[in-house]
Amino acid sequence: FPVEDIRNFSIIAHVDHGKSTLADRLLELTGTIDKTKNNKQVLDKLQVERERGITVKAQTASLFYNFEGKRYLLNLIDTPGHVDFSYEVSRSLSACQGVLLVVDANEGIQAQTVANFFLAFEAQLSVIPVINKIDLKNADPKRVEKQIEKVFDIPGDECIKISAKLGTNVESVLQAVIERIPPPKVYRKNPLRALVFDSTFDQYRGVIANIALFDGVVSKGDKIVSAHTKKTYEVNEVGILNPNEQSTHKLLGFLGLLHMEVFNQRLEQEYNASVILTTPTVPYKAVLSSAKLIKEYKEKEITVINPAQFPDKSKVTEYLEPVVLGTVITPDEYTGKIIALCQARRAVQKNMIFIDQNRVMLKYLFPLNEIVVDFYDSLKSLSSGYASFDYEDAGYQAAELVKMDILLNGNFVEELVTIVHKEKAYSVGKNICERLKDSLPRQLFEIAIQAVIGSKVIARETVKAYRKNVLAKCYGGDITRKMKLLKRQTEGKKKLRKIGNIEVPKDAFIKVLKTQ
Ligand code: GDP
Ligand code: MG
């Protein structure tokens, strides 16, 4: 295929603004899939995605489109829309030259719209603004056009107004892709250079890599080398993607609670695996204090992912925590509450502007660990669902951190080791102990729950003993009924995890983490 007839593009949007619906219409228009009623969101393939109606994993499809007597190859890369998955977006974008920025004509610009736009802008991609859902009764495309001018400095007349649901004006989106997005720059005469932006493993076919080609050509039988691992591979097949290729099962680390639950569910559904959940953690760094330690670790600064391996203060000159630049967009009336929430999360305000008469855009620098667990849920609930949020990486900052252990009758609970900011240790510890008390069933003996830093207990709760006698109800009853009850009790225990001699139901951890 001649390079000048190829376009590589992504659709980016705030969640629910219509990215998947638009992708389906584009696939139909180009004859990639049949136009039937059950084509709902072909690119969202995984079972959990369908159940939850969100896109978790980027999917790619190749479309053919005839325009002004020429046949074009349009490679569409779908991107995740939910805030927990935003880092997948930038990976997909590195394979593109342009994006469709979809904005809901009723809701207008939201936080992910802003974050995604800047990812595309920094990658120097062409941005085509698409105002979707113009069929809605409350749609106000003119107002959204003005927001786009104000926030992104894109002339309003560049916006394409569509209804992805009804198919209205979708054809002009395809034409804009051809006219406004440049073809990739590929120097076919140079040696092969390509970016693997996604990959899968197929038991029968081997590694299937989705690549964006920068230089050279790739054909069947070629020997290629991974620049990263220096390993050599032989090319067995070269193809383009259709929506029926299998998606990858690479494991995305947990970024938020939704992320955690989705993956727990995915692992259990797709691999039949039982999963032990741990407190979501962020990568901290520790700057080592002596030459001897630097020699031992072979590095001046070590990254700590497992809280259990957090180095003691005596070994360290300072700890560093990852920070992110967060964007919140909200109706004006919730601004006060949101500022208070951000302050409680140790965030520092960087900017605040009105994007139209009654909508405010706030920018804050957040410690990443303050938002991974439940910030998004809190923001949504205090704004009745109206505020939106997204964030991007902003490096590291110095922080006073401590490691906190949770003990049940003196036994460490490995799932609940956490690294916390010194200022927050007491309240976080107290909270975990209280939640754990509420979610642990009473047992035959008393359980002491303790939050501990070093050898200092900072919080404590007690679960009182309770004598559970499953046979009590059928005292004197027949023996088969007794056996049945005993059997049921043993089966119930399989869903438990034993810590010391204490039985902890698996969902107790999720409950503790959710409400921290
Ligand atoms: P995504 O999260 O950005 O992928 O959004 P979806 O494509 O899943 O769409 C979210 C919701 O908006 C779904 O219920 C769609 O049916 C609906 N939707 C998408 N496009 C339109 C449109 O043009 N008009 C209307 N009325 N609804 C739409
Ligand atoms: Mg979607």
Side-chain angles (χ1 to χ4, degrees), residues 392-451:
E392 61 191 282
D393 194 17
Y396 277 78
Q397 72 181 14
E400 294 213 48
L401 304 169
V402 288
K403 184 173 94 170
M404 184 170 68
D405 290 306
I406 301 295
L407 276 64
L408 294 181
N409 284 353
N411 297 295
F412 288 96
V413 183
E414 57 186 303
E415 287 87 344
L416 296 176
V417 185
T418 33
I419 296 168
V420 287
H421 195 266
K422 216 169 150 189
E423 262 173 33
K424 292 244 165 143
Y426 176 74
S427 64
V428 171
K430 188 164 173 281
N431 211 309
I432 294 184
C433 290
E434 282 170 4
R435 301 295 168 198
L436 209 49
K437 182 186 173 190
D438 292 341
S439 49
L440 279 181
R442 284 186 178 195
Q443 321 218 350
L444 293 167
F445 42 82
E446 190 173 284
I447 307 171
I449 306 169
Q450 293 170 306

Side-chain angles (χ1 to χ4, degrees), residues 19-20 41 44 53-55 78:
K19 191 175 56 259
S20 302
Q41 304 178 0
D44 296 349
I54 53 166
T55 309
D78 193 21

